[in-house]
Amino acid sequence: MEPRVFNRRPMCTYAIAVVLGILSARLFNDTPHILSGCLVFICTAFLFFVFRFTKKRSYRPLSLIFVFIFALLLGLWAYPALPNEGEYTIEGRVSETPEYDGDVCLLTLDELKLNGTSIDTRIKLSVYEAGSAYGDYISVHGRVVIPDDSDEFPERHYNLSKGIGLLGFADSRIEKKGYRGDLYGWLLSIKNRLIDNANKLFGENGPAIAGMLFGETNNISKSDINAYRDSGVAHLFAVSGLHVSIIAGTLLLVLKRVNPWIKLSVIGVILLVYCWITAFAASLVRAMVMTMCVLAAEPLERRYDMASSMSLALMLILFSNPFALYTASLLISFAAVFTISTLTPLLSRLFKGVHSVISSAISVSIAGSVGMAPLSTYFFGRLPTLGVFANFIVIPLVPIIIIPSLVAVLLCAISPQVGAVVAFVPKNVIVFVNGYLFRIANIAFAAVDTNSPSIIACISMYIPMLTASDYCLLDKKKKLRLTLVTAVAALVLIIIT
């Protein structure tokens, strides 16, 4: 009997079926609904045939096809019905904090009406006057266009991931029609007050602290963004697993002797509020779900499996927002976790003569940097070559920044003086971090401009990492041959695409 290549992980195969279903929905989105209906009918008929007329009935293939069809339908239904491009009277409610790009104010509107007709999507509206705030109902005349994908950037699907199906450009003054707040607006106001506190406590480094705590990058200078990106640590501004592990780790220390179920509930609620404040960033939701799986394993007396928890997180994110599949945040976050789970054990054995803490830090730093590299070149056309060295120094300092800074901005609302005392250490640490990253970024070869590989080529780069990992059950010789074959295939795809 031939040995298995991988252990069976149903959650992983279901996640693959979901991804394939959503990708198929993109292919069939522009086809007439009658053809999409025929496709679903054929798949359902095939499903019935397999189950009814095969002697050995297996529910696993049946369930996989069902999940694929469900994801396909979910993806098709997620595409909004859009009006023709043209001039309209645009009415709606400001549903996000206004953003500024130079003299242009960007307003995201829901409850959208064009010439009085309700449209089931949101619009990102460019206006040339300030003064609108979350919850304001406004009316303005302007041009409406439908964003389109390009080879360089999937603009349409990126906007759809944020619930935005249209772009608008105002050519008249805004007329305010009313106001309606809600719970999300209240949380946004709290977030904005905390960002203001960060700016008061940390001065010129306040925007960087706000970026690390809440993923808010609008006020960070371009030079700071470039320094973090070129040194390979821009992921600090994408609130994700690092932030969740720091917060959850701190809470676990506080709740050390508490019942596991209570511990799970308290940490879950706090992380849920954190997700809500950061607008449920895909990377943060992924980290939250995986953390909940780790915490639930103890009271359920189950063994934690990283690959299965990662697959569960991916499915939950895509079920709630199919278009998240096309965002850099989700793809880079999952790619980094994937390579950390596959390469870290191999690298730890390579550095087995080094102290365990240092060996683990080096291994995770290398694995994470390798995981982010292919997709970073795809989305940004730039490869940070010194990311391993930057992360090795900076990542251990991040907990010293995040926890005291979060406590400081919270205390600042009660007593600015107490907040300033708590902020003393992280304030000096962030100065050191910024100085170090600027020195790294200023090295001539710190970041190299590259031709963006195709997304297929990017995905192929991760397959040799999987076949070389402990997930692959083949013996060493077969594993080596399989890894070499997949690596050569990835190289060919990089060259020809």
Side-chain angles (χ1 to χ4, degrees):
M1 183 178 177
E2 286 293 323
R4 290 179 181 173
V5 180
F6 301 102
N7 277 323
R8 290 177 180 170
R9 285 181 167 82
M11 200 66 70
C12 297
T13 52
Y14 290 139
I16 293 171
V18 170
V19 170
L20 292 176
I22 290 171
L23 290 174
S24 300
R26 181 176 180 178
L27 294 176
F28 288 98
N29 171 49
D30 295 325
T31 62
H33 292 303
I34 184 76
L35 293 181
S36 299
C38 289
L39 172 71
V40 174
F41 175 78
I42 291 169
C43 291
T44 306
F46 175 74
L47 191 73
F48 174 79
F49 176 82
V50 170
F51 182 71
R52 178 69 179 81
F53 296 103
T54 53
K55 292 181 180 180
K56 185 179 178 180
R57 295 180 179 178
S58 175
Y59 288 93
R60 183 165 294 165
L62 194 72
S63 61
L64 280 174
I65 297 173
F66 174 80
V67 169
F68 170 81
I69 294 174
F70 178 78
L72 172 62
L73 291 174
L74 188 68
L76 287 171
W77 288 333
Y79 285 94
L82 300 176
N84 295 325
E85 297 182 347
E87 302 285 331
Y88 291 93
T89 298
I90 304 168
E91 299 175 278
R93 186 183 73 113
V94 180
S95 57
E96 298 288 349
T97 302
E99 303 173 27
Y100 291 90
D101 184 8
D103 295 331
V104 179
C105 178
L106 301 174
L107 302 175
T108 302
L109 307 183
D110 64 5
E111 301 182 29
L112 177 63
K113 291 183 178 180
L114 299 180
N115 289 347
T117 302
S118 295
I119 306 296
D120 188 23
T121 189
R122 301 201 297 177
I123 187 170
K124 176 155 279 191
L125 181 65
S126 299
V127 299
Y128 290 90
E129 58 181 297
S132 298
Y134 181 92
D136 286 343
Y137 283 92
I138 65 170
S139 176
V140 69
H141 185 271
R143 182 167 55 92
V144 172
V145 300
I146 300 173
D148 197 11
D149 293 334
S150 66
D151 293 336
E152 291 78 22
F153 181 66
E155 182 183 7
R156 181 192 178 197
H157 285 82
Y158 171 77
N159 281 302
L160 285 172
S161 73
K162 298 178 177 296
I164 298 169
L166 298 168
L167 301 179
F169 303 89
D171 55 19
S172 70
R173 293 191 64 83
I174 291 175
E175 180 183 353
K176 293 189 178 180
K177 297 281 190 175
Y179 172 84
R180 180 176 67 81
D182 54 21
L183 178 59
Y184 180 59
W186 179 69
L187 289 171
L188 277 181
S189 67
I190 293 176
K191 173 184 171 181
N192 291 332
R193 281 198 289 270
L194 294 177
I195 290 173
D196 290 340
N197 291 345
N199 291 329
K200 290 176 186 176
L201 293 173
F202 295 93
E204 62 181 8
N205 291 317
I209 293 293
M212 291 184 189
L213 292 179
F214 309 112
E216 181 62 54
T217 59
N218 291 331
N219 297 320
I220 302 177
S221 68
K222 192 171 182 179
S223 60
D224 283 358
I225 287 286
N226 289 337
Y228 276 73
R229 183 172 292 163
D230 289 349
S231 56
V233 296
H235 59 88
L236 293 181
F237 297 139
V239 185
S240 60
L242 178 64
H243 302 70
V244 168
S245 63
I246 292 170
I247 294 172
T250 304
L251 291 171
L252 282 172
L253 289 175
V254 175
L255 304 171
K256 190 175 182 179
R257 299 183 183 279
V258 176
N259 177 279
W261 287 112
I262 297 176
K263 193 186 304 181
L264 177 68
S265 303
V266 171
I267 294 176
V269 169
I270 291 173
L271 292 181
L272 184 62
V273 172
Y274 192 33
C275 285
W276 203 336
I277 290 176
T278 57
F280 288 96
S283 54
L284 186 58
V285 175
R286 188 268 308 158
M288 175 188 167
V289 172
M290 294 182 70
T291 300
M292 291 296 98
C293 289
V294 173
L295 296 176
E298 179 187 350
L300 291 174
E301 297 182 352
R302 297 294 182 92
R303 181 173 63 87
Y304 172 72
D305 181 65
M306 181 180 283
S308 297
S309 68
M310 184 165 57
S311 300
L312 175 62
L314 179 61
M315 286 192 294
L316 291 175
I317 292 170
L318 295 181
F319 283 153
S320 64
N321 181 6
F323 301 115
L325 182 61
Y326 305 101
T327 62
S329 171
L330 180 137
L331 293 176
I332 293 177
S333 172
F334 275 89
V337 175
F338 172 81
T339 51
I340 287 172
S341 68
T342 55
L343 298 184
T344 298
L346 302 178
L347 293 169
S348 296
R349 290 197 288 271
L350 186 64
F351 298 117
K352 62 182 179 181
V354 185
H355 189 278
S356 60
V357 175
I358 298 175
S359 170
S360 177
I362 294 174
S363 300
V364 171
S365 178
I366 294 174
S369 298
V370 169
M372 291 185 288
L375 288 168
S376 293
T377 58
Y378 171 74
F379 282 105
F380 309 117
R382 201 161 170 81
L383 179 64
T385 58
L386 301 178
V388 172
F389 303 100
N391 280 282
F392 181 68
I393 298 297
V394 171
I395 296 302
L397 298 176
V398 172
I400 305 174
I401 297 173
I402 288 181
I403 295 300
S405 296
L406 185 59
V407 173
V409 296
L410 290 170
L411 288 175
C412 185
I414 302 171
S415 171
Q417 293 78 14
V418 175
V421 171
V422 176
F424 177 79
V425 172
K427 188 174 184 178
N428 286 280
V429 174
I430 192 66
V431 169
F432 167 78
V433 166
N434 283 346
Y436 174 70
L437 294 179
F438 269 96
R439 289 186 181 91
I440 291 285
N442 286 331
I443 296 174
F445 55 87
V448 180
D449 290 324
T450 63
N451 294 323
S452 297
S454 69
I455 190 64
I456 298 298
C458 284
I459 294 171
S460 70
M461 296 181 206
Y462 296 98
I463 297 176
M465 303 179 200
L466 177 63
T467 57
S469 73
D470 292 346
Y471 288 113
C472 183
L473 304 177
L474 298 176
D475 61 59
K476 288 184 179 180
K477 287 185 179 180
K478 289 182 179 179
K479 182 185 287 190
L480 179 60
R481 284 200 296 267
L482 182 59
T483 302
L484 288 175
V485 169
T486 54
V488 170
L491 182 60
V492 170
L493 282 172
I494 293 169
I495 294 172
I496 66 176
T497 60

